[in-house]
């Protein structure tokens, strides 16, 4: 097995292990982060009702209107602020953070800091 496949398999195992312990409820939904090399995505999810409350990503028209492209720390922080503001509008103030098996570092940390600056607590 090459190094990329081994790393990806480890990430998937970690993601399943973390997901089995984290569950979003109506009172405290899950803020899920997914990132690729080119984009970053965030969703606020109520797992009990299987409902997505709000989303934000670098592909949103609102994000594109700012003239920003790519997936760097600055973009991740803006996406965090966008999802935080949308969650506050939807009546969500406290969330459980699901980093999707990734290390809390770099773009994932920047997204979390942006969401906190928008008013989300986790």
């Amino acid at each position: 097995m090459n190094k990329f496949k081994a790393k990806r398999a480890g990430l998937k195992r970690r993601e399943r292990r973390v997901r089995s312990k984290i569950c979003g409820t109506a009172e405290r939904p899950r803020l899920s982060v997914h990132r690729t090399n080119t984009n970053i995505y965030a969703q606020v999810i109520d797992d009990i009702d299987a409902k997505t409350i709000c989303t934000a990503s670098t592909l949103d028209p609102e994000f594109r209107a700012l003239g920003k492209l790519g997936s760097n720390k600055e973009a991740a922080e803006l996406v965090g602020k966008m999802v935080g503001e949308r969650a506050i509008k939807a009546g969500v103030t406290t969330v459980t953070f699901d980093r999707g098996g990734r290390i809390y570092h770099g773009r994932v940390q920047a997204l979390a800091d942006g969401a906190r600056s928008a008013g989300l607590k986790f």
Side-chain angles (χ1 to χ4, degrees), residues 17-103:
R17 186 174 58 241
V18 169
R19 187 68 48 85
S20 69
K21 297 175 185 175
I22 295 176
C23 182
T25 62
E27 297 80 32
R28 190 175 176 139
R30 176 171 54 99
L31 173 59
S32 177
V33 176
H34 176 74
R35 72 171 182 84
T36 64
N37 289 337
T38 56
N39 294 300
I40 191 158
Y41 312 86
Q43 293 181 325
V44 177
I45 304 167
D46 178 3
D47 290 320
I48 302 297
D49 293 334
K51 183 174 79 171
T52 300
I53 298 168
C54 64
T55 64
S57 76
T58 53
L59 298 175
D60 280 351
E62 182 180 325
F63 182 82
R64 298 275 181 180
L66 297 173
K68 305 287 184 189
L69 293 175
S71 181
N72 52 28
K73 286 184 181 181
E74 181 184 337
E77 189 170 354
L78 287 173
V79 170
K81 286 180 184 177
M82 285 171 41
V83 77
E85 291 167 358
R86 292 175 184 177
I88 297 292
K89 276 186 192 174
V92 175
T93 57
T94 307
V95 295
T96 302
F97 190 66
D98 176 12
R99 52 192 166 87
R102 301 285 183 170
I103 298 172

